[in-house]
Amino acid sequence: MSDEGHERHGAGHEKAPSRQRRRFPGISSRAYEHPADRSALVALRKLSGFDTVFKALSGLLPERSLRLLFLSDSVRVSDQQFTHLNDMLRDACHILDLEKVPPMYVNQDPQPNAMCIGLDEPIIVVTTGLVELLDEEEMRAVVGHEVGHALSGHAVYRTILLFLTNLAVRVAWIPLGNLAIMAIVTALREWFRKSELSADRAGLLVGQDVKASMRGLMKIAGGNHLHEMNVDAFLEQAEEYEAAGDLRDSVLKILNVLPRTHPFSTVRAAELRKWAQSRDYQRIMDGHYPRRGEDKNTSVTDSFRESAAHYATNVKSSKDPLMKLVSDIAGGAGDLGGRVRRGFGGFTGQATSDDTWPRNGSDGADGRNGTDGTDGPSQTPPRDAD
């Protein structure tokens, strides 16, 4: 379709170049959804009465209050207000073939953020911090990201997550009640982190500019000093994050991400680049993608099988120490006990070795003690110089 480019308002905003971008009529969200996100959504959609149960909760959730709040204390995007955002929103809905354009609001908040919420109908909210931070093409990817959330039906679960998070704070003084709610919140956050990877892909399908998507994620991490940053160096951080350290660092990564609703920016950038270089992305760009009309025939079993295959591949190729250990366990590698001891020895501040740790006779699948030292965490795979 034709993208005529619109003048940005405010300092530092540039006119987007005119260029042709592909449109995806009838595209199903399955085309871009992350395997873990997709399998969870397909299973939920197949559950009899699931949507009815969530609709019944609408009377308990403050959705109407949220809509009135944004209507009264934010600026609604339209032909008269934030026209460049309105054009981008219509454009994104046209490219992803979303029939009803969701209302969009700009909220005064210096923290760069955007969200898609709502039970009955999705609404999109972006902060002034985000609008002022990103250029035209970067913002286009963000708008496409949020439209992707709407197309995938993420808004419903996001609203539930917001409600339960607020509820957990209110009932924090009730030990058992808080624990029960936080268990659900933790599970929803894990799903939502995966859904963000899906929405990043939708943003790329809308913007069709990988560099702009990378810049946007880099700016969210480091601010508007683009002349001081480099995308390639930023992506190298993701490789270092994945491969650095030992098993202790793997555990700390898990603990760091648990309270977050979004994956870390470097991880998102690396995941998006990997997908942009994949055959799946190229097939979509060539017009070969699943249609919404086929969604009802989607097999839950096939979706879970695809998700499992994806994770198996990721575990095998991962440089993370914990993932390498899991891969070795699955492959029957020797001296796993010794590797675990060496990996976690730093938690106690004491060095561990094979002659100071009590043996249980089960180190390694083949009965060897593995004393050659070749499997230790110090053997970190070399990182590319570029």
Side-chain angles (χ1 to χ4, degrees):
M1 65 166 292
S2 176
D3 175 17
E4 298 178 354
H6 307 287
E7 191 73 30
R8 290 293 303 265
H9 301 284
H13 293 141
E14 303 172 351
K15 187 175 181 178
S18 297
R19 58 188 175 87
Q20 294 293 118
R21 282 177 297 128
R22 293 175 176 82
R23 182 172 179 260
F24 309 102
I27 189 172
S28 167
S29 59
R30 292 183 291 115
Y32 59 81
E33 283 168 350
H34 188 278
D37 172 21
R38 189 190 313 133
S39 61
L41 284 177
V42 170
L44 288 174
R45 291 165 180 164
K46 288 286 186 178
L47 289 177
S48 177
F50 179 83
D51 290 337
T52 303
V53 170
F54 269 89
K55 291 294 183 181
L57 290 175
S58 61
L60 301 175
L61 299 180
E63 181 183 15
R64 298 178 68 89
S65 176
L66 284 174
R67 291 180 181 276
L68 289 172
L69 177 63
F70 288 121
L71 186 63
S72 63
D73 205 31
S74 300
V75 175
R76 183 164 58 191
V77 172
S78 66
D79 290 331
Q80 292 80 37
Q81 301 185 118
F82 288 101
T83 55
H84 67 289
L85 293 180
N86 190 53
D87 290 337
M88 274 190 270
L89 176 61
R90 290 174 177 271
D91 189 48
C93 292
H94 183 66
I95 288 177
L96 294 181
D97 200 15
L98 188 65
E99 292 184 5
K100 188 171 183 180
V101 179
M104 183 175 180
Y105 294 89
V106 176
N107 181 248
Q108 171 60 33
D109 186 344
Q111 183 71 26
N113 197 13
M115 60 181 174
C116 180
I117 58 175
L119 291 176
D120 296 318
E121 295 181 359
I123 61 173
I124 296 173
V125 182
V126 297
T127 65
T128 52
L130 189 67
V131 174
E132 293 164 3
L133 176 66
L134 304 182
D135 68 23
E136 192 79 17
E137 292 301 299
E138 295 158 5
M139 192 68 199
R140 190 185 303 279
V142 169
V143 173
H145 173 111
E146 298 306 325
V147 171
H149 275 312
L151 180 58
S152 292
H154 293 163
V156 174
Y157 315 116
R158 172 63 168 169
T159 305
I160 297 293
L161 177 58
L162 287 173
F163 173 74
L164 291 179
T165 301
N166 292 333
L167 182 62
V169 174
R170 296 178 183 177
V171 300
W173 59 277
I174 307 176
L176 292 180
N178 186 51
L179 285 175
I181 293 174
M182 287 310 299
I184 301 175
V185 168
T186 299
L188 278 170
R189 281 176 177 163
E190 171 60 18
W191 162 78
F192 195 77
R193 285 190 291 269
K194 298 300 186 294
S195 76
E196 285 298 298
L197 301 178
S198 298
D200 283 343
R201 295 175 177 186
L204 178 58
L205 291 177
V206 168
Q208 298 173 24
D209 186 339
V210 178
K211 292 182 179 179
S213 294
M214 295 292 111
R215 290 198 312 269
L217 291 169
M218 187 171 63
K219 282 185 176 181
I220 290 173
N224 197 23
H225 303 282
L226 192 60
H227 63 288
E228 296 283 354
M229 297 184 286
N230 179 277
V231 171
D232 291 333
F234 184 66
L235 289 168
E236 286 177 5
Q237 290 181 224
E239 294 182 9
E240 183 176 350
Y241 172 77
E242 181 184 9
D246 51 28
L247 294 179
R248 293 167 295 171
D249 296 287
S250 297
V251 174
L252 292 174
K253 291 175 189 177
I254 295 173
L255 295 177
N256 284 341
V257 80
L258 279 178
R260 297 174 59 92
T261 56
H262 290 60
F264 294 114
S265 297
T266 57
V267 175
R268 291 172 64 183
E271 283 278 343
L272 187 59
R273 181 182 65 169
K274 185 188 305 181
W275 187 69
Q277 296 172 345
S278 70
R279 180 171 175 78
D280 290 339
Y281 174 71
Q282 189 56 54
R283 283 181 58 81
I284 295 174
M285 297 303 293
D286 290 340
H288 305 293
Y289 52 82
R291 265 64 174 180
R292 278 169 232 163
E294 305 165 353
D295 284 351
K296 61 183 179 180
N297 300 321
T298 303
S299 168
V300 177
T301 302
D302 290 344
S303 184
F304 276 112
R305 185 182 297 114
E306 184 178 346
S307 180
H310 169 83
Y311 278 114
T313 301
N314 278 2
V315 167
K316 289 180 180 179
S317 62
S318 176
K319 298 178 182 178
D320 181 83
L322 182 57
M323 291 299 99
K324 286 177 67 65
L325 179 63
V326 170
S327 179
D328 287 346
I329 291 174
D335 191 29
L336 293 177
R339 295 182 64 179
V340 172
R341 295 196 294 274
R342 290 191 292 273
F344 285 102
F347 276 128
T348 61
Q350 298 175 351
T352 60
S353 63
D354 287 344
D355 57 359
T356 59
W357 191 275
R359 300 186 182 278
N360 59 12
S362 59
D363 286 351
D366 56 2
R368 294 177 298 167
N369 290 332
T371 57
D372 58 0
T374 58
D375 288 333
S378 60
Q379 301 297 318
T380 305
R383 288 189 280 277
D384 295 336
D386 58 357

